[in-house]
């Protein structure tokens, strides 16, 4: 029997280190309250970070072993990070989540206010949106549309053409709902979560809904249980299944056609909601175990255990390979269909590098972005072996997490208010 959305928030002690202050703010969601909270509690001046000229942002060479002996990933000299093609200041207001930097339509966009799209090749500004992105809401990208929660806080969700910034679509869930935020998109629908307003203007519950991506009409809406959160949602959609979590010990799958709940699992450990989806499986790290569940029925398909009690971190399924690191700084490549280990590398530990929390792939190079660390930044690895090719760090000491995106021709690295374009 399928369980309902759970409101339990008990976390297994020691399962994962607490998130950074910026990550806590990101998980808390957004809106005006978060914007005020951020301004009042973060004691660093984001605008104090200077912007270096392209070529002055150097790459720290990894210490220790684990470097690839050949060139790759756009590197110049052996083992050294490439010089940026360009470096630009941005209006970025990021909290370390993976949906705050996107590349599409020949532009790269970092979440901020105003929201600015920069030419991928030159870094020149292509267009801006004065209202910008709502703090805590994702930059949700489909094949040809960028979906944003309205910065006017008028209950609208708006679609824009990434290349031009022109509005192409708009929908409104209804005046009885507040702050709808897009969480996932497929070929036919945009999925949102919004607060349900009480008569006195307060909200105790929230709704999950599907909006038709052609007409903007509401396809379905389902009220979630009292106590569930409308902020901090991680979501993905595959075929008839919408899967999401809001950082509680709970993983939920709904039918995309009806909105009906298919199944919910109580997970044994939490990882602050990160998971990945490959074909008909959802893959979830839970402490020292990595588990894959069938989207259709929630049955476990396979599991993989880390060695020596290490804890798995954020996963990414890219081009039919699952990449994941653990707290012992071991990098894993796994067949996402079977859970079979393809390779395991100690190169990160050998080089004294921090483990990545986000990944993109271009050619035969895997690029990982870390949290703030002088031995982190953007790490280029051989996707076939895990060998470290180079690391890029702008040496600013900015306390923000690194974010990475690619359009296949460039790798974009965002750190605080500096955006770098690296050659592939």
């Amino acid at each position: 029997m399928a369980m309902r959305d759970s409101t339990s928030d008990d976390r297994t002690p020691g399962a994962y280190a607490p998130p950074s202050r910026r990550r806590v703010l990101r998980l808390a969601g957004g809106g005006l309250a978060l914007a005020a909270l951020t301004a009042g509690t973060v004691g660093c001046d984001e605008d104090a970070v200077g912007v270096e000229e392209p070529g002055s942002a150097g790459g720290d060479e990894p210490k220790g072993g684990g470097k690839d002996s050949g060139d790759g990933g756009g590197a110049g000299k052996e083992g050294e990070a490439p010089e940026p093609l360009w470096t630009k200041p941005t209006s970025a207001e990021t909290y370390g989540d993976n949906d705050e930097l996107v590349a599409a339509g020949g532009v790269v966009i970092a979440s901020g206010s105003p929201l600015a799209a920069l030419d991928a090749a030159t870094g020149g500004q292509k267009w801006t949106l004065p209202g910008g992105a709502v703090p805590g809401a994702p930059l949700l990208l489909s094949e040809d549309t960028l979906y944003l929660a309205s910065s006017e806080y008028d209950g609208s969700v708006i679609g824009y053409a990434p290349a031009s910034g022109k509005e192409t679509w708009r929908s409104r869930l209804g005046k009885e709902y507040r702050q709808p935020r897009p969480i996932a998109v497929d070929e036919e629908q945009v999925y949102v979560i919004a607060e349900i307003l009480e008569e006195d203007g307060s909200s105790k519950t929230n709704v999950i809904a599907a909006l038709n991506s052609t007409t903007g009409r509401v396809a379905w809406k389902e009220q979630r249980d009292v106590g569930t959160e409308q902020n901090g949602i991680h979501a993905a959609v595959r075929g008839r299944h919408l899967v999401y979590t809001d950082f509680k010990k709970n993983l939920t799958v709904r039918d995309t056609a009806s909105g009906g709940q298919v199944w919910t699992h109580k997970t044994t450990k939490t990882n602050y909601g990160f998971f990945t989806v490959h074909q008909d499986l959802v893959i979830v790290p839970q402490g020292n175990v990595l588990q894959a569940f069938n989207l259709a029925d929630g049955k476990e398909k396979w599991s993989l255990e880390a060695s020596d009690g290490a804890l798995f971190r954020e996963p990414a399924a890219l081009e039919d390979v699952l990449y994941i690191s653990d707290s012992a700084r071991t990098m894993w490549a796994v067949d996402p269909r079977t859970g079979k280990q393809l390779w395991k590398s100690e190169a990160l530990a050998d080089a004294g590098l921090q483990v990545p929390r986000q990944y993109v792939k271009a050619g035969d190079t895997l690029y990982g972005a870390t949290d703030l660390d002088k031995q982190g930044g953007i790490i280029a690895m051989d996707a076939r072996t895990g060998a470290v090719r180079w690391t890029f760090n702008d040496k600013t000491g900015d306390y923000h997490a690194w974010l990475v995106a690619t359009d296949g021709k460039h790798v974009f690295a965002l750190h605080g208010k500096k955006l770098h374009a690296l050659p592939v």
Side-chain angles (χ1 to χ4, degrees):
M1 179 177 178
M3 297 172 61
R4 295 174 62 82
D5 282 350
S6 171
T7 60
S8 172
D9 195 30
D10 54 319
R11 292 191 173 99
T12 302
Y16 280 84
S20 66
R21 185 175 186 81
R22 295 294 286 178
R23 182 70 64 82
V24 169
L25 290 174
R26 175 62 178 89
L27 303 191
L32 297 176
L34 177 59
L37 174 65
T38 304
T41 59
V42 177
C44 298
D45 182 2
E46 296 181 1
D47 295 319
V49 178
V51 178
E52 302 172 4
E53 292 298 320
S56 66
D60 288 333
E61 183 173 335
K63 297 179 181 180
K67 292 190 297 181
D68 189 286
S69 59
D71 290 339
K77 295 181 181 179
E78 181 178 327
E80 294 183 1
E83 294 290 336
L85 299 172
W86 52 259
T87 296
K88 296 289 182 178
T90 73
S91 59
E93 297 172 356
T94 64
Y95 301 90
D97 214 355
N98 299 350
D99 50 24
E100 297 172 324
L101 180 69
V102 297
V107 300
V108 55
I109 307 168
S111 181
S113 180
L115 190 69
L118 304 184
D119 185 281
T122 67
Q125 184 173 288
K126 298 282 285 187
W127 55 263
T128 62
L129 291 177
V134 172
L139 303 179
L140 185 61
L141 192 65
S142 71
E143 185 175 344
D144 56 4
T145 305
L146 174 69
Y147 294 97
L148 300 175
S150 173
S151 61
E152 299 293 327
Y153 296 94
D154 59 0
S156 298
V157 177
I158 309 172
Y160 301 89
S164 66
K166 293 182 179 179
E167 181 178 323
T168 59
W169 180 90
R170 181 182 287 256
S171 179
R172 194 172 184 208
L173 190 58
K175 62 182 180 180
E176 65 270 34
Y177 304 101
R178 180 171 58 193
Q179 296 186 7
R181 293 162 183 258
I183 60 169
V185 61
D186 59 21
E187 294 83 359
E188 298 180 356
Q189 297 178 148
V190 182
Y191 304 90
V192 301
I193 283 185
E195 299 174 3
I196 301 175
L197 290 175
E198 303 289 334
E199 291 184 1
D200 61 359
S202 66
S203 178
K204 300 177 181 177
T205 54
N206 61 90
V207 65
I208 186 167
L211 309 174
N212 186 285
S213 58
T214 300
T215 66
R217 295 175 180 172
V218 178
W220 52 259
K221 54 188 175 183
E222 293 287 331
Q223 181 173 329
R224 300 175 70 213
D225 286 351
V226 174
T228 54
E229 298 178 0
Q230 68 274 10
N231 296 317
I233 299 289
H234 281 251
V237 59
R238 290 293 185 276
R240 288 286 298 270
H241 302 104
L242 172 67
V243 54
Y244 62 91
T245 179
D246 58 1
F247 306 117
K248 295 180 182 293
K249 299 175 72 174
N250 179 51
L251 186 73
T252 302
V253 173
R254 290 184 181 271
D255 186 294
T256 57
S258 66
Q261 186 166 289
V262 179
W263 55 267
T264 292
H265 272 338
K266 298 289 291 183
T267 55
T268 57
K269 296 182 185 292
T270 181
N271 75 328
Y272 301 105
F274 290 98
F275 62 87
T276 192
V277 174
H278 179 75
Q279 295 180 358
D280 59 350
L281 297 176
V282 53
I283 303 167
V284 189
Q286 301 187 67
N288 68 334
V289 177
L290 188 64
Q291 287 182 288
F293 301 102
N294 285 317
L295 284 172
D297 56 18
K299 293 181 179 179
E300 182 182 294
K301 178 68 177 295
W302 57 260
S303 66
L304 181 67
E305 187 172 345
S307 56
D308 300 325
L311 309 179
F312 281 115
R313 304 295 294 272
E314 295 91 335
L318 304 171
E319 299 180 4
D320 294 328
V321 177
L322 174 69
Y323 299 100
I324 192 168
S325 58
D326 63 34
S327 59
R329 292 185 291 180
T330 300
M331 190 74 202
W332 302 65
V334 176
D335 185 335
R337 299 165 297 182
T338 64
K340 180 182 178 181
Q341 176 186 312
L342 302 177
W343 54 255
K344 188 165 66 170
S345 170
E346 307 292 337
L348 292 175
D350 292 342
L353 297 173
Q354 185 175 344
V355 297
R357 42 165 298 278
Q358 182 194 10
Y359 304 91
V360 298
K361 188 173 181 288
D364 64 356
T365 303
L366 181 69
Y367 300 88
T370 75
D371 282 324
L372 172 64
D373 190 279
K374 65 180 181 180
Q375 288 298 327
I378 303 300
I379 305 173
M381 295 165 280
D382 189 323
R384 300 161 298 188
T385 65
V388 174
R389 289 177 164 168
W390 49 259
T391 63
F392 174 82
N393 196 310
D394 58 15
K395 302 179 182 178
T396 64
D398 190 285
Y399 59 93
H400 290 78
W402 286 82
L403 295 177
V404 65
T406 184
D407 61 359
K409 299 178 181 179
H410 315 83
V411 172
F412 303 102
L414 179 66
H415 189 209
K417 291 186 178 294
K418 294 181 66 174
L419 181 59
H420 311 276
L422 305 175
V424 169

